[in-house]
Amino acid sequence: MSIRFANVAGRASLLLGDALVDVARASHGRFSDDPMAALSAWDAFAEWARGRGPGDATGPRAPADLRPPVPRPSKVFGIGMNYREHAAEAKLEVPTSPVVFTKFPSCISGPFDEVELFSDRVDWEVELVVAIGRRGRRIAEADALAHVAGYTVGQDISDRRMQFADRPPQFSLGKSLDGYGPTGPALVSLDAFANLNDLALSCDVAGERMQRGRTGDMIFGVPALVAYLSKWCTLEPGDLIFTGTPAGVGSTRDPRRYLAPGEEIVSAIEGIGTMRNRCVAAPA
Ligand code: ZN
């Protein structure tokens, strides 16, 4: 059975249909309530989790309580220009190796959290997010998926004003403001997907479909990204990879379109779920 791992009000949990399994209670303390602890022992945790059924339910699920499934990653990688159409709309050449930047881990927020707009040029980027479940360095592409705990939905919220203020542009700060990394609603194990290399993803803003794509259109797929990143950096359990966004971001639309207070960003990926993040003006 596949695993839908969630962070419910700060506690490691499994989603089983409409029911919730509190990991610490159902495992009688074998696994702690900290979602990061489950990630750090993912292989053992996954084996336990796959054996859970309706009899282990500890309560109903309440979507409002969902927090980021991986709340404190040690590293958060972002990949730029990883969909051909997005590279084309940004008028950049298709890269020959992955374009890597960082989002600082403190930007990670939950699937229903608000996004504070600090400028009038804040943009959306729906992305498939990979969570690492097994430590590794120099991982071969053929072994890469064994190091992945699961997939979740992410928004690589980007303040374009900050991102392009400097010459050359620098990505990290403008993509790392608090709350600029919504993730969730659950971390889903790879065996849940009929075709894990080709998932539909979409982003709506204020009810308008802005992005529509398929992960099969990635230039560098998940195994290639895991192999490439692990060539340079040890990947740790809980590390996140934002794998890039398809076409349709606001900064390349004509006319340009950015997020406004009161608008809701709805981000969805087939087989994982939907996040809803409302935009609010940042306090002056
Ligand atoms: Zn991105």
Side-chain angles (χ1 to χ4, degrees):
M1 196 185 72
S2 59
I3 300 165
R4 300 182 71 83
F5 178 74
N7 173 352
V8 178
R11 296 179 67 86
S13 305
L14 296 172
L15 305 182
L16 283 181
D18 292 332
L20 186 80
V21 176
D22 182 276
V23 166
R25 285 167 58 197
S27 73
H28 306 289
R30 179 178 165 204
F31 299 100
S32 88
D33 58 0
D34 180 358
M36 296 309 296
L39 267 302
S40 70
W42 187 259
D43 288 331
F45 175 77
E47 190 186 341
W48 173 82
R50 286 198 168 88
R52 294 314 99 202
D56 296 296
T58 49
R61 60 191 280 195
D65 291 339
L66 288 172
R67 307 293 311 136
V70 184
R72 298 184 311 281
S74 69
K75 296 189 282 307
V76 182
F77 298 99
I79 307 296
M81 308 302 155
N82 200 25
Y83 286 78
R84 282 180 182 79
E85 273 183 45
H86 177 58
E89 71 177 355
K91 297 188 170 54
L92 292 165
E93 284 176 27
V94 171
T96 52
S97 61
V99 175
V100 181
F101 59 90
T102 187
K103 287 171 80 71
F104 300 122
S106 52
C107 79
I108 295 300
S109 60
F112 304 109
D113 286 356
E114 292 181 338
V115 174
E116 289 188 340
L117 304 179
F118 289 86
S119 86
D120 56 358
R121 290 192 194 169
V122 180
D123 208 344
W124 56 86
E125 296 189 354
V126 66
E127 308 202 1
L128 177 75
V129 173
V130 173
I132 297 297
R134 195 185 292 170
R135 194 171 193 272
R137 178 89 199 277
R138 298 187 187 95
I139 300 165
E141 253 189 71
D143 301 330
L145 293 181
H147 288 260
V148 172
Y151 290 164
T152 193
V153 185
Q155 261 292 339
D156 178 18
I157 303 285
S158 305
D159 186 326
R160 305 296 186 200
R161 201 176 273 289
M162 291 181 79
Q163 187 180 350
F164 295 110
D166 299 324
R167 294 284 177 276
Q170 62 84 22
F171 282 25
S172 298
L173 195 57
K175 287 171 172 280
S176 292
L177 282 66
D178 278 12
Y180 280 26
T183 49
L187 181 67
V188 179
S189 61
L190 302 188
D191 52 357
F193 304 102
N195 184 354
L196 64 111
N197 298 314
D198 191 30
L199 305 174
L201 71 173
S202 65
C203 173
D204 296 357
V205 176
E208 187 182 345
R209 178 60 46 97
M210 295 294 184
Q211 294 185 279
R212 168 190 293 118
R214 304 196 67 86
T215 61
D217 293 332
M218 282 183 190
I219 297 166
F220 301 102
V222 172
L225 293 174
V226 168
Y228 181 81
L229 294 169
S230 71
K231 196 169 156 184
W232 315 108
C233 305
T234 299
L235 299 184
E236 305 280 358
D239 283 355
L240 299 179
I241 307 169
F242 281 66
T243 59
T245 200
V249 301
S251 57
T252 58
R253 301 181 86 87
D254 186 17
R256 289 179 184 175
R257 166 78 161 82
Y258 295 105
L259 295 164
E263 291 183 334
E264 188 180 53
I265 310 162
V266 179
S267 316
I269 302 183
E270 175 185 5
I272 303 175
T274 301
M275 303 196 299
R276 296 175 179 277
N277 301 98
R278 182 161 296 279
C279 300
V280 298

